[in-house]
Amino acid sequence: KEPRDDKKYIDRLFKQVSEGIKGIIFGNLFTGIFQGFCAFVVYSIFGVSNSFTFGFLTIIASFMPIIGTTIIWVPLGILFIIRGEIVKAIIFLIVSWFFITIPDNFVRPLLLGNRIELHPLFIFFAILGGVLFFGLSGIILGPLMFILFFEVMKIYNEERELDERKERLTRKVGRFKIVKRKRK
């Protein structure tokens, strides 16, 4: 291999990591804003005072792994229970779970998948595995590990295909020489 090839592949890996980081930040930020907006709407419908502030806090909480936005809307539901509004609390908790938490499992992988060329299901498991192995930083490190893995696999496959083509070409050229010698 020529040193140029190695530099080309390293540049390619750096480009993928750079694009991946941008995609992850964009995806996580947009998902947080989406969840914050949904939370603001839900909080406003249920008459939560300072719903804008709680919506903003929901954006921030969306970056927390595992607990996420539930750290905001569950205590609000508990406040409804404390006030004696049991039915309202149950409906609030169900609606919050459905419109604030559940979309996170679909929106984030879809946004990240479109930006970093991985299937949303891979992104979902990359985030989940990343959080389990790396904690909070796993939101970024998990998908980055997947990006690097798949890019290295692409490079490997391209090199393998190139070697196979060279080998086939060498065999064809070798046969041509043999046929040419026989004719003389």
Side-chain angles (χ1 to χ4, degrees), residues 125-164:
F125 286 116
I127 292 170
L128 187 63
V131 168
L132 291 173
F133 284 108
F134 304 113
L136 180 60
S137 58
I139 291 174
I140 293 175
L141 291 177
L144 274 180
M145 294 296 155
F146 264 73
I147 291 167
L148 283 172
F149 173 76
F150 282 109
E151 195 59 33
V152 167
M153 292 308 297
K154 283 181 194 174
I155 290 170
Y156 170 77
N157 283 331
E158 288 169 10
E159 281 293 314
R160 188 177 50 86
E161 288 172 9
L162 187 61
D163 288 344
E164 287 173 1

Side-chain angles (χ1 to χ4, degrees), residues 10-182:
I10 289 170
D11 290 344
R12 185 169 152 184
L13 288 173
F14 274 117
K15 181 179 182 259
Q16 283 298 103
V17 168
S18 174
E19 290 299 312
I21 289 171
K22 288 176 195 170
I24 292 166
I25 290 171
F26 167 80
N28 286 327
L29 184 62
F30 188 79
T31 300
I33 291 169
F34 177 77
Q35 285 184 289
F37 175 75
C38 290
F40 169 72
V41 170
V42 169
Y43 301 158
S44 296
I45 290 171
F46 281 88
V48 173
S49 58
N50 298 317
S51 57
F52 182 78
T53 302
F54 283 113
F56 181 74
L57 291 173
T58 302
I59 293 172
I60 294 169
S62 73
F63 291 98
M64 296 173 64
I66 302 169
I67 299 170
T69 59
T70 57
I71 200 165
I72 305 297
W73 59 262
V74 167
L76 291 173
I78 292 170
L79 282 175
F80 285 129
I81 293 171
I82 291 171
R83 285 194 237 147
E85 301 173 279
I86 309 288
V87 174
K88 185 176 183 179
I90 292 170
I91 294 170
F92 173 78
L93 290 171
I94 292 169
V95 168
S96 294
W97 175 74
F98 190 77
F99 287 104
I100 300 170
T101 301
I102 293 296
D104 177 51
N105 296 325
F106 300 104
V107 172
R108 190 180 313 265
L110 282 173
L111 288 173
L112 293 177
N114 289 339
R115 295 280 299 208
I116 57 180
E117 299 174 11
L118 284 177
H119 190 276
L121 190 60
F122 283 128
I123 300 298
F124 174 75
F125 286 116
I127 292 170
L128 187 63
V131 168
L132 291 173
F133 284 108
F134 304 113
L136 180 60
S137 58
I139 291 174
I140 293 175
L141 291 177
L144 274 180
M145 294 296 155
F146 264 73
I147 291 167
L148 283 172
F149 173 76
F150 282 109
E151 195 59 33
V152 167
M153 292 308 297
K154 283 181 194 174
I155 290 170
Y156 170 77
N157 283 331
E158 288 169 10
E159 281 293 314
R160 188 177 50 86
E161 288 172 9
L162 187 61
D163 288 344
E164 287 173 1
R165 275 191 245 137
K166 284 179 184 176
E167 190 176 311
R168 281 193 302 263
L169 186 61
T170 304
R171 277 188 266 158
K172 285 181 182 178
V173 169
R175 280 189 226 139
F176 178 73
K177 287 180 181 178
I178 291 170
V179 170
K180 195 173 177 183
R181 283 186 202 150
K182 287 181 181 179

